[in-house]
Amino acid sequence: MPFGEMMITLDDVQCLTGLNITGHIVRCGGRDDEAGLDIICRMLGVSRIDASTGVSKKCGNVVKLNWLLSKFVETMSTDDEAIALHRAISFLLYTLGCIIFTNKTGERVSTNYLKLLEHPDEFGSYAWGTAALAFFYRQLGLTSRANVKQIFGYLTLLEAWIYEHFPTIIHPQPNVDYRDGQPLVLRWAQQTHASGSERSVKTYRELLDCIKTRRCCVGSTLNLLG
């Protein structure tokens, strides 16, 4: 793999996850607390008192993921259309908050995304893949700071990208149920434990750390990475 291609691209996002990379821009404006409560009540079908318990006051206008989970976890096939819609929106917001746009808390999601879910039939028309990659690169920028010890964002995308492009680093377990045409992320089964030795990890880190220019150690590093 050429040095310039050692990055996640939009094509990777689409092939690996199946998320759209073209379509409407994912743009979310800010909301004050009262406006946030209003849209939560209207779109999730909850009372204002219930909505107040779900909103995290410490971080502004955000909703607790555990609270959202409770709104759709008991979905029944007998639910009427209105209830089913409210629970579907809760599920979509939960997915955005705990998978695609995860933040440093890992416990909350912005209510700003609810504006994009007002018309569920248009949900698939947004360029979620482009937004996910932009958000992830933003998180990589933050993670590179000396005082930051964790990484956030769409980590499933990063994991699948490593499986696809660096098969010699880790040998993922193939998913026997995978079918052609499905997103490539489904080609592998979930890892239950880390693979590789501490010595190999140290070696990778040392080689990557010595890259100062495109000509310095690039060849040996890329040969090792596969």
Side-chain angles (χ1 to χ4, degrees):
M1 177 184 291
F3 182 82
E5 294 181 11
M6 287 184 62
M7 61 183 68
I8 303 175
T9 66
L10 285 175
D11 184 64
D12 285 321
V13 175
Q14 187 173 51
C15 293
L16 291 170
T17 70
L19 291 176
N20 287 343
I21 59 174
T22 60
H24 297 308
I25 297 174
V26 177
R27 182 184 292 113
C28 301
R31 293 181 179 275
D32 57 37
D33 288 344
E34 291 301 313
L37 287 175
D38 289 341
I39 195 171
I40 291 171
C41 294
R42 175 167 55 85
M43 294 189 63
L44 303 187
V46 298
S47 68
R48 199 170 187 82
I49 294 177
D50 192 6
S52 296
T53 65
V55 173
S56 173
K57 301 299 182 182
K58 293 182 179 180
C59 295
N61 215 1
V62 292
V63 178
K64 301 171 186 175
L65 289 175
N66 284 341
W67 180 82
L68 272 177
L69 179 63
S70 71
K71 299 305 168 187
F72 67 82
V73 70
E74 296 182 356
T75 299
M76 306 290 290
S77 59
T78 55
D79 292 336
D80 63 38
E81 185 174 348
I83 293 177
L85 178 58
H86 290 149
R87 292 182 172 175
I89 292 173
S90 299
F91 172 76
L92 290 173
L93 184 59
Y94 179 87
T95 300
L96 293 177
C98 74
I99 298 179
I100 299 179
F101 301 118
T102 57
N103 57 35
K104 63 181 181 179
T105 69
E107 300 175 350
R108 298 182 282 268
V109 59
S110 172
T111 58
N112 293 335
Y113 295 118
L114 277 173
K115 184 65 178 177
L116 302 173
L117 305 178
E118 286 194 279
H119 304 287
D121 56 326
E122 298 178 3
F123 183 77
S125 67
Y126 286 96
W128 294 108
T130 302
L133 185 60
F135 185 86
F136 181 66
Y137 274 132
R138 171 60 175 165
Q139 298 308 308
L140 286 179
L142 296 175
T143 302
S144 67
R145 298 177 181 179
N147 62 336
V148 178
K149 299 180 180 180
Q150 293 176 296
I151 183 173
F152 308 97
Y154 197 0
L155 298 184
T156 301
L157 169 63
L158 175 62
E159 182 179 5
W161 180 75
I162 292 173
Y163 290 166
E164 183 71 19
H165 294 293
F166 305 110
T168 59
I169 289 183
I170 187 171
H171 303 284
Q173 186 71 27
N175 177 14
V176 296
D177 295 323
Y178 177 76
R179 298 292 179 269
D180 290 341
Q182 292 181 319
L184 296 181
V185 69
L186 298 177
R187 290 173 58 182
W188 306 287
Q190 182 178 2
Q191 296 292 307
T192 58
H193 62 278
S195 62
S197 66
E198 292 184 2
R199 178 178 298 179
S200 64
V201 171
K202 181 180 179 181
T203 301
Y204 295 139
R205 288 175 176 170
E206 289 175 347
L207 286 172
L208 291 171
D209 286 343
C210 80
I211 299 179
K212 297 180 180 179
T213 68
R214 291 188 175 220
R215 296 180 180 179
C216 177
C217 300
V218 171
S220 59
T221 301
L222 294 183
N223 287 334
L224 180 60
L225 294 180

